[in-house]
Amino acid sequence: MIGDMLTLPAGAAGSRIVGIGHHQPDKVLTNDDIARLVETNDEWIRSRTGIVTRHVAADDVTVADMATAAARHALADAGVPADDVDLVIVATTTAADRSPNTAGRVAYALRTGVQPGASTPEGEEEPDLRDVVGPGVIDVNTACSGFAYSLGLADQAIRAGTARTAVVIGSEKLTAVTDWSDRSTCILTADGAGAVVLQAADTPAVGPVVWGSEPEITPAVRIEAPADRFAQDGRAVFKWAITRAADRARRVVEASGLSLDDIEVLVAHQANLRIIEPLAKGLGLEDKIVVTDITESGNTSAASIPLGLSKWWHAGNVPAGVPALLFGFGGGFTWAGQVVMTPTR
């Protein structure tokens, strides 16, 4: 039979993170700035969300621009040239363009230094890409859990033998879909990107992804036409996070073959400090390293896990070679996570 003639590529035993990077826009919006737009104040925002500042991208900065900057940072951290990348996955729910997809735009920019359709900088030659085979390019839209989904897909691709070096990125421009008259949401949203470089490894350093959804609260977090504005049922999200998130996160750790006692770092979706802290306590990880970049960066949806991890990694606040639990949840209503070993320095 024809089926008996098919062959499969030889995959690696696993994958490992070899580089981490991030990008944030220069413009910072404080709580006092928000208070000039809606009826609120610094104390009210801090007490309910933990957020102090958030970064906002300029009108002409795209999701792909930020994703490319984060990818370059991660590749430099790993010491890996862009030409070695054979898979690019971008998690985003705020890309303005449908085609080329964001991952395709990032892959092109990493090769050429410019976004598709842009002019080559003066004094530089137009790159000849006629014989170039670029990487696989995939966009993933599961909102706030998107990075964990994407990392899982990249790890599986490497273990299946269809990739050896992947760049996995979370990038969001949430401020572009924010209703700045809605006090319940405009205090949360922010922009930024985070990325990791994933390579084949003889010893697995990325645990299996565990993912799922919550049909009961599918519409709890939305960006829907024709308004295309971020909206959420904050009470429903908070209730789920307080009552169910820890159970879902435990499943992730169990699938890795480790125990919660083994986990040294928790990097949860940076939705709200009042969610992150109870989740850490519910998992018994409150005395471990708990990334709380929410205070400085706000809620950046799919970017929040790699952005927070990268900032803390490069600041020296995350040790090398230890188990870290990544856990995302949000729009859809989706959740996903995996245990990874932090890179060696």
Side-chain angles (χ1 to χ4, degrees):
M1 293 179 62
I2 297 271
D4 295 333
M5 300 167 59
L6 297 177
T7 60
L8 295 176
S15 69
R16 62 190 179 102
I17 296 173
V18 296
I20 309 177
H22 67 275
H23 172 78
Q24 288 184 290
D26 292 334
K27 182 179 178 181
V28 175
L29 207 62
T30 67
N31 290 342
D32 290 335
D33 293 329
I34 297 287
R36 297 185 186 98
L37 303 175
V38 293
E39 185 179 349
T40 189
N41 57 65
D42 178 64
E43 190 280 329
W44 192 91
I45 297 173
R46 289 188 192 222
S47 65
R48 286 160 178 79
T49 70
I51 298 172
V52 179
T53 59
R54 71 282 289 151
H55 291 247
V56 177
D59 291 343
D60 62 349
V61 172
T62 68
V63 169
D65 291 331
M66 293 186 288
T68 301
R72 287 184 176 133
H73 187 197
L75 286 166
D77 185 50
V80 172
D83 290 357
D84 286 358
V85 176
D86 48 22
L87 178 63
V88 176
I89 304 182
V90 177
T92 185
T93 191
T94 53
D97 301 312
R98 298 192 181 189
S99 183
N101 69 358
T102 304
R105 291 175 180 274
V106 171
Y108 183 91
L110 290 176
R111 287 268 186 170
T112 66
V114 296
Q115 290 291 340
S119 300
T120 302
E122 188 175 349
E124 295 185 17
E125 292 185 6
E126 190 79 23
D128 184 355
L129 302 178
R130 286 174 296 181
D131 295 323
V132 172
V133 177
V137 290
I138 305 170
D139 280 9
V140 171
N141 179 6
T142 57
C144 309
S145 65
F147 179 78
Y149 268 80
S150 299
L151 188 63
L153 292 174
D155 171 63
Q156 291 171 355
I158 288 172
R159 288 190 284 114
T162 57
R164 294 285 298 178
T165 301
V167 175
V168 185
I169 311 162
S171 183
E172 300 283 18
K173 192 176 181 180
L174 272 180
T175 62
V177 295
T178 295
D179 178 354
W180 292 101
S181 65
D182 179 7
R183 183 178 71 167
S184 66
T185 57
C186 76
I187 63 174
L188 302 171
T189 55
D191 306 328
V196 301
V197 178
L198 202 66
Q199 284 192 326
D202 293 333
T203 301
V206 173
V209 65
V210 179
W211 49 32
S213 59
E214 305 289 340
E216 178 188 359
I217 54 172
T218 294
V221 183
R222 311 176 301 284
I223 304 174
E224 294 179 322
D228 286 331
R229 288 293 178 264
F230 167 57
Q232 70 172 355
D233 181 343
R235 290 185 178 181
V237 173
F238 187 79
K239 180 180 178 181
W240 180 89
I242 297 300
T243 61
R244 301 185 189 176
D247 169 74
R248 306 318 189 240
R250 287 189 194 96
R251 299 184 189 192
V252 174
V253 177
E254 289 170 2
S256 75
L258 301 180
S259 71
L260 282 165
D261 290 338
D262 297 316
I263 303 300
E264 295 295 332
V265 183
L266 171 64
V267 194
H269 166 47
Q270 304 292 292
N272 188 317
L273 190 62
R274 309 311 167 210
I275 289 175
I276 297 169
E277 290 176 336
L279 175 60
K281 186 173 182 179
L283 295 171
L285 299 176
E286 67 270 28
D287 293 328
K288 300 295 183 71
I289 298 169
V290 179
V291 172
T292 54
D293 184 53
I294 179 74
T295 60
E296 298 179 358
S297 300
N299 184 335
T300 56
S301 189
S304 77
I305 289 176
L307 175 61
L309 176 61
S310 179
K311 288 177 66 178
W312 281 45
W313 169 256
H314 287 286
N317 296 327
V318 171
V322 299
L325 169 60
L326 313 184
F327 184 68
F329 53 89
F333 190 92
T334 63
W335 56 269
Q338 55 269 106
V339 175
V340 304
M341 298 300 293
T342 57
T344 56
R345 294 194 184 276

